[in-house]
Amino acid sequence: MDRGLISVDRWEKGSQAYFLTHLHADHTKGLSSTWSHAPLYCSSFTADLIPLKFPHFDLSLLHVFHIGTWQTLNLISRSSGAPTSVEFIAIDACHCPGSVMLLFRGEFGFMLYTGDFRWEKGCKRAAKAKEMLLGAIKDDNVDVVYLDNTYCNPIYDFPSRQVAAKQIIDIITSHPEHDVIIGINTLGKEDLLVQISEALKIKIWVWPERMWTMDLLGISDHFTIKTTITRVRAVPQYSFSVETLEELNKIKCPTIGIMPSGLPWVKKSPPKTKCISRAVLTANCKKAEWSEDDGDGDGEEYEPAGDIGPPEKLHKYIFTVPYSDHSNFAEIRDFIKLIRPTNLKGIVSSSSCYIEPMYYLSLLCQGNRPSEVLNSKLKRKASATVSGSNKKPPGSYIAELARRRCLTMKARLSRIRMSKHSILRKVHRGATIQDNERADLKTDSDGNQVP
DNA sequence: GCGATCAGAT
DNA sequence: CACATCTGATCGC
């Protein structure tokens, strides 16, 4: 706790430098207006937003970094007391405005902290970020990747944001007489709203505080804070509910609601039924173009381990569309194939991520074999970094698949038995780098450091 | 009374 | 059911 060198998205005392990947609430737990432990490094846009979220924050603590430029921090090694330097570079994470992933090089090794990210195929911005990251890594080996493992499970198969945005636009245009409300959070999904605005040639209502963010992004022309001049309104997700919609339909006018993201978009076993909500189907929307097989020859087709597909209790006024700011499984897999780190560790611990990322991705990393991973999996809990030598040869592919399914089932069963409080509550993300360890930072499943 | 933290709802 | 957020209760100062 008090021996840290640098911290990423964690705000306890004890580190000499702090990094914020993006300004979502689950990454700022512990950060406040009165926080003043040490310098805070973040992107320019994040720095612009900090005074809005933390009104009396001491701005002299803020250090803005530029994307794609290496910087050096001169720190003190807590183990030796000697000066030590850490180099870092930030890369666009394409998750929400201002979001970055961070690559660090120091006495702890060479590590990449992805933060939350979504790099889609065919996204120019992601392609540029990828090029930048590869340029920063050069021929070096990344010792450890701290991964956005939110959807690090083959059951999560959802389309690109481009495709999802088109679905949403189709839903709106097929309801020309309806008002539309779209559930969003305080940051993120701006690109979607701009696309809707451009496609429909209308302004979108947002609440006043949200308009400040649009101003900072320079996109406020697409938005308005006057409800009377538009039929499309973006509302806080917490105020988006069946009750809200029923009330609007009862007392105001015909209104539909659209939830971008929403359900876990689980790949279903019969291909033709996959991933399209009943509401969307009954609305007679165009059939979705689902995430294409990338044709890279992997041919990995997983089936869900159980039959807990998406629940079907969708409301008549509500459309849920799989617009996600986190990478789907295929994208995560491609990312790890690209980096091939020695070690891999998830940064998210939540109900859907009871399987650690190494479980599915170990084959793609250096120096790790599936048998080892499967063994370690049986020991449960992510505190162990999966590393070290492996003696057993990998089992056959079919056998491995069978074992995976079996283990997934077991994990699911044990999850069901656990109390709601122990497992369903999300715990916060982050990592603290200690200079007395090599790259294997340790955090337990609750995101706390392990001594 | 205020901020930090947690439980619960959305 | 996810993620991210808000509200309200409780605790410590």
Side-chain angles (χ1 to χ4, degrees):
Chain A
M1 184 81 115
D2 55 0
R3 295 166 303 151
L5 194 61
I6 61 182
S7 292
V8 183
D9 293 348
R10 289 178 59 99
W11 308 101
E12 296 93 340
K13 268 209 170 77
S15 288
Q16 297 165 57
Y18 292 79
F19 287 80
L20 175 57
T21 59
H22 65 289
L23 208 48
H24 276 158
D26 53 334
H27 293 255
T28 57
K29 197 174 160 235
L31 191 58
S32 67
S33 290
T34 56
W35 184 93
S36 62
H37 301 337
L40 191 169
Y41 293 80
C42 64
S43 66
S44 159
F45 184 75
T46 298
D48 288 343
L49 283 181
I50 280 182
L52 300 184
K53 193 171 172 88
F54 303 115
H56 303 295
F57 194 88
D58 178 358
L59 299 181
S60 70
L61 296 169
L62 287 187
H63 292 244
V64 171
F65 49 63
H66 298 286
I67 307 291
T69 306
W70 281 102
Q71 275 189 59
T72 303
L73 301 179
N74 293 310
L75 306 174
I76 304 295
S77 170
R78 288 297 180 94
S79 50
S80 69
T84 186
S85 67
V86 174
E87 287 181 281
F88 74 91
I89 187 171
I91 308 287
D92 188 359
C94 305
H95 168 70
C96 71
S99 66
V100 294
M101 45 180 84
L102 295 160
L103 189 58
F104 294 98
R105 197 197 305 272
E107 58 185 38
F108 46 80
F110 196 26
M111 64 152 284
L112 174 63
Y113 190 96
T114 69
D116 290 350
F117 80 103
R118 184 158 196 200
W119 282 8
E120 289 144 314
K121 258 200 183 63
C123 169
K124 280 183 188 161
R125 212 175 132 173
K128 195 179 154 195
K130 177 173 157 182
E131 194 180 328
M132 203 177 262
L133 179 62
L134 291 178
I137 294 173
K138 295 210 175 89
D139 295 326
D140 218 338
N141 288 330
V142 176
D143 296 309
V144 58
V145 165
Y146 286 81
L147 178 73
D148 174 10
N149 57 316
T150 306
Y151 294 120
C152 190
N153 185 315
I155 63 173
Y156 293 121
D157 174 37
F158 43 75
S160 68
R161 284 174 288 197
Q162 200 56 45
V163 168
K166 189 168 182 314
Q167 291 178 22
I168 290 171
I169 290 165
D170 287 347
I171 291 168
I172 299 174
T173 53
S174 65
H175 291 79
E177 305 301 324
H178 283 73
D179 273 18
V180 180
I181 63 171
I182 302 169
I184 61 169
N185 284 316
T186 54
L187 185 61
K189 314 260 194 301
E190 292 79 7
D191 291 346
L192 167 66
L193 299 178
V194 168
Q195 278 188 64
I196 293 170
S197 166
E198 285 176 346
L200 279 71
K201 302 194 168 32
I202 54 171
K203 287 179 189 264
I204 295 175
W205 179 89
V206 288
W207 61 102
E209 293 82 355
R210 199 63 164 87
M211 194 63 165
W212 301 344
T213 308
M214 305 311 190
D215 272 326
L216 277 175
L217 286 166
I219 54 174
S220 49
D221 284 355
H222 294 286
F223 299 93
T224 178
I225 52 172
K226 291 183 186 168
T227 47
T228 49
I229 69 168
T230 181
R231 70 182 182 101
V232 180
R233 308 190 297 280
V235 303
Q237 211 179 95
Y238 66 87
S239 71
F240 182 107
S241 67
V242 170
E243 288 70 30
T244 308
L245 276 157
E246 287 183 339
E247 196 68 7
L248 285 169
N249 275 280
K250 202 164 92 187
I251 65 168
K252 192 167 177 286
C253 65
T255 304
I256 57 167
I258 297 174
M259 276 298 291
S261 152
L263 296 169
W265 293 92
V266 174
K267 185 184 275 191
K268 289 181 128 182
S269 21
K272 50 186 109 157
T273 65
K274 64 175 165 183
C275 304
I276 190 154
S277 78
R278 176 169 293 172
V280 172
L281 285 172
T282 53
N284 205 18
C285 285
K286 255 194 196 161
K287 200 174 169 183
E289 309 139 48
W290 284 92
S291 57
E292 62 298 338
D293 192 88
D294 57 12
D296 63 0
D298 291 339
E300 285 159 294
E301 280 297 325
Y302 295 86
E303 282 179 43
D307 55 350
I308 56 138
E312 315 260 327
K313 49 162 202 182
L314 290 160
H315 194 267
K316 58 180 169 174
Y317 300 127
I318 296 182
F319 298 81
T320 57
V321 181
Y323 187 102
S324 169
D325 287 325
H326 295 273
S327 295
N328 66 26
F329 179 75
E331 289 155 359
I332 294 172
R333 181 198 59 198
D334 290 348
F335 183 83
I336 293 305
K337 275 162 81 174
L338 186 72
I339 309 300
R340 293 195 185 273
T342 308
N343 287 304
L344 185 56
K345 186 130 178 60
I347 60 175
V348 183
S349 170
S350 75
S351 59
S352 74
C353 296
Y354 50 88
I355 292 172
E356 61 177 299
M358 277 307 248
Y359 179 58
Y360 286 117
L361 297 175
S362 65
L363 287 165
L364 308 176
C365 293
Q366 304 175 354
N368 286 289
R369 293 196 184 141
S371 51
E372 176 70 16
V373 174
L374 289 170
N375 286 336
S376 76
K377 188 62 215 159
L378 288 169
K379 289 190 236 157
R380 148 179 183 68
K381 272 315 175 198
S383 62
T385 48
V386 185
S387 61
S389 62
N390 303 288
K391 281 142 200 151
K392 293 184 192 167
S396 80
Y397 183 69
I398 300 293
E400 192 201 325
L401 266 187
R403 292 172 73 189
R404 286 182 183 190
R405 288 195 188 125
C406 175
L407 287 171
T408 308
M409 271 305 222
K410 281 183 184 166
R412 178 161 291 129
L413 284 170
S414 69
R415 182 165 60 111
I416 289 164
R417 285 193 207 102
M418 288 182 173
S419 80
K420 192 179 171 190
H421 293 307
S422 67
I423 190 82
L424 284 185
R425 191 155 50 92
K426 217 187 91 181
V427 294
H428 84 262
R429 313 155 181 229
T432 302
I433 297 177
Q434 304 196 350
D435 57 3
N436 56 352
E437 304 175 31
R438 258 195 66 82
D440 55 339
L441 340 185
K442 294 170 181 165
T443 53
D444 67 17
S445 61
D446 286 332
N448 300 314
Q449 285 175 234
V450 175

